Amino acid sequence: MVRAIWNGKVIAESADTVVVEGNHYFPRDAVNPAFLRDSSKNTFCPWKGTASYHTLEVDGELNEAAAWYYPEAKPRAKHIEDRIAFWRGVTIED
């Protein structure tokens, strides 16, 4: 079981993550939506496509754009489409 933890809370937990470039991508239904806030941030990867972001909110603290996903991944990255990965201090335990 892989867990994403930030600010002492389990943000996501799943045995079904996909690892790409060292990042665990969690199924969306394995991520607790109570901790996700929409973000206007977007970035572009030449082979994965345009990433959208969520800000994490735990106990009133914000971690801006700490979760990302590809809502419409390019063909080579379809296996991570709409899965969520984390960074910016989010600890991944496996």
Side-chain angles (χ1 to χ4, degrees), residues 11-14 16 26-33 36 82-84:
I11 306 299
E13 183 173 36
S14 180
D16 176 31
F26 290 79
R28 182 165 288 278
D29 64 3
V31 180
N32 187 333
L36 300 179
D82 208 36
R83 287 177 168 261
I84 300 176

Side-chain angles (χ1 to χ4, degrees), residues 30-49:
V31 180
N32 187 333
F35 299 128
L36 300 179
R37 303 292 173 264
D38 289 334
S39 171
S40 60
K41 181 178 176 82
N42 290 294
T43 56
F44 181 75
C45 172
W47 74 272
K48 290 180 277 196

Side-chain angles (χ1 to χ4, degrees), residues 1-59:
M1 191 66 67
V2 181
R3 290 182 183 92
I5 300 168
W6 185 71
N7 205 21
K9 303 286 185 189
V10 176
I11 306 299
E13 183 173 36
S14 180
D16 176 31
T17 65
V18 176
V19 179
V20 174
E21 296 176 334
N23 297 300
H24 284 270
Y25 285 80
F26 290 79
R28 182 165 288 278
D29 64 3
V31 180
N32 187 333
F35 299 128
L36 300 179
R37 303 292 173 264
D38 289 334
S39 171
S40 60
K41 181 178 176 82
N42 290 294
T43 56
F44 181 75
C45 172
W47 74 272
K48 290 180 277 196
T50 300
S52 295
Y53 288 77
H54 289 293
T55 291
L56 299 179
E57 182 176 359
V58 174
D59 296 332

Side-chain angles (χ1 to χ4, degrees), residues 58-77:
V58 174
D59 296 332
E61 291 190 43
L62 298 177
N63 190 344
E64 296 290 334
W68 77 91
Y69 63 100
Y70 294 89
E72 294 180 25
K74 289 189 168 195
R76 288 181 47 210

